Amino acid sequence: MVFNIINYINSLPLDVKIINVSYKKLTYIPDLSRFTTLQSLHCNNNNLTQLPNLPKSLQYLACQCNRLTTIPKLPKNLQTLLCYNNQLTLLPELNDKLQSLDCHGNLLTQLPELNENLQLLYCATNKLTFLPKLNEKLQSLYCGSNLLTQLPELNSMLLVLYCHNNRLTTLPNLNTFLQTLNCQYNQLTLLPSLNDNLEIVNCRHNLLTYLPQLNDKLLYIEYSDNLLAYPLDKVITGEKASFKLVY
């Protein structure tokens, strides 16, 4: 039975909080402006090429896995935007309250300025050649599989950095709180000094000829397919001798 989006929308009460029309083979969504208390819209995994104007009350938007080329202006209360696996070439200006943005698997060549409250940015598998300045509250950055040749300065609150499969030749200084670094499949010839809180490093398949001094909290390091002139165990002493090594 074919899902009738008009009938469904007209059947909803005006004070509805959640609308879920995912996996319905939709090609469009009608006007939603009447739903002034709508908080969550799930329209993922359809055949949508555009979205209607979004209600100002919206806090959560899941529109991933469609054929979207643009996204309308983001409402001021939006906190989560899932728009991955579309055909987006540009994102709208990010609203101040946005905390999580997943836009991987698109055709983006640039990102808008990052808003102050963003905590998660997943922009992997695009065509990005540079990233904007990182906002101070950002905790997780996934920017792998792009065309990046350099990264911006890392903000002090960053915990997770995945920048694998790019064209990086250097990395910026690592911030104090960083715990996970994945920089495999780049063109790195050296790594910066490892910060004290770093626990996981994957730097395989680069052009490294030596590694920096290993920090005491390091639990795992993967460094195969480089140009190291010595076995890593020669630089492991004390507590460092107990973590897992992957050659």
Side-chain angles (χ1 to χ4, degrees):
M1 183 174 180
V2 177
F3 179 78
N4 189 312
I5 183 63
I6 296 293
N7 289 345
Y8 175 74
I9 293 297
N10 288 338
S11 72
L12 298 174
L14 293 179
D15 61 352
V16 65
K17 298 291 193 298
I18 300 174
I19 293 179
N20 189 340
V21 290
S22 56
Y23 295 94
K24 300 297 185 183
K25 299 181 181 180
L26 298 177
T27 57
Y28 78 101
I29 293 178
D31 178 58
L32 301 175
S33 60
R34 78 187 89 164
F35 302 112
T36 57
T37 60
L38 185 65
Q39 296 179 2
S40 297
L41 174 60
H42 303 257
C43 56
N44 51 287
N45 295 85
N46 282 294
N47 297 313
L48 300 173
T49 57
Q50 60 182 357
L51 297 177
N53 290 335
L54 303 172
K56 295 180 180 179
S57 57
L58 199 65
Q59 298 178 19
Y60 185 100
L61 174 59
C63 58
Q64 70 271 21
C65 302
N66 278 287
R67 300 176 182 177
L68 299 173
T69 56
T70 61
I71 289 180
K73 181 179 179 180
L74 302 182
K76 64 179 182 180
N77 291 310
L78 195 69
Q79 297 178 15
T80 299
L81 172 58
L82 307 179
C83 57
Y84 59 86
N85 290 348
N86 276 287
Q87 300 171 22
L88 300 171
T89 58
L90 197 65
L91 293 179
E93 180 180 356
L94 304 184
N95 60 297
D96 290 340
K97 293 185 179 181
L98 193 67
Q99 297 179 13
S100 180
L101 171 60
D102 187 345
C103 58
H104 80 268
N106 278 286
L107 303 172
L108 299 171
T109 57
Q110 62 182 14
L111 297 176
E113 180 180 353
L114 303 185
N115 60 298
E116 179 181 353
N117 290 299
L118 195 66
Q119 297 179 23
L120 167 66
L121 174 58
Y122 194 164
C123 57
T125 320
N126 277 286
K127 297 178 181 297
L128 300 172
T129 57
F130 67 96
L131 296 179
K133 180 181 178 181
L134 304 184
N135 60 299
E136 192 54 38
K137 293 183 180 180
L138 192 67
Q139 296 182 11
S140 300
L141 173 59
Y142 299 85
C143 58
S145 299
N146 277 288
L147 304 173
L148 301 172
T149 58
Q150 60 182 356
L151 297 179
E153 180 181 356
L154 303 184
N155 60 297
S156 62
M157 300 299 294
L158 196 67
L159 300 175
V160 177
L161 173 59
Y162 276 67
C163 56
H164 55 285
N165 196 24
N166 276 288
R167 300 175 180 179
L168 301 172
T169 57
T170 61
L171 294 179
N173 291 333
L174 304 184
N175 59 298
T176 301
F177 295 109
L178 193 69
Q179 297 177 359
T180 300
L181 171 63
N182 188 326
C183 57
Q184 63 177 320
Y185 285 92
N186 276 287
Q187 301 169 24
L188 300 171
T189 57
L190 56 86
L191 295 180
S193 298
L194 304 187
N195 58 299
D196 290 340
N197 291 298
L198 197 63
E199 297 179 350
I200 298 173
V201 176
N202 189 336
C203 58
R204 70 183 300 263
H205 207 95
N206 276 285
L207 302 173
L208 301 173
T209 57
Y210 69 95
L211 296 176
Q213 182 67 35
L214 304 181
N215 59 305
D216 289 336
K217 290 187 178 180
L218 197 64
L219 301 174
Y220 177 98
I221 183 167
E222 155 70 271
Y223 61 94
S224 61
D225 298 320
N226 275 288
L227 303 174
L228 297 178
Y230 53 86
L232 185 57
D233 56 8
K234 288 188 177 180
V235 299
I236 301 173
T237 58
E239 296 180 29
K240 304 186 188 69
S242 65
F243 65 67
K244 184 176 181 180
L245 305 178
V246 180
Y247 293 86

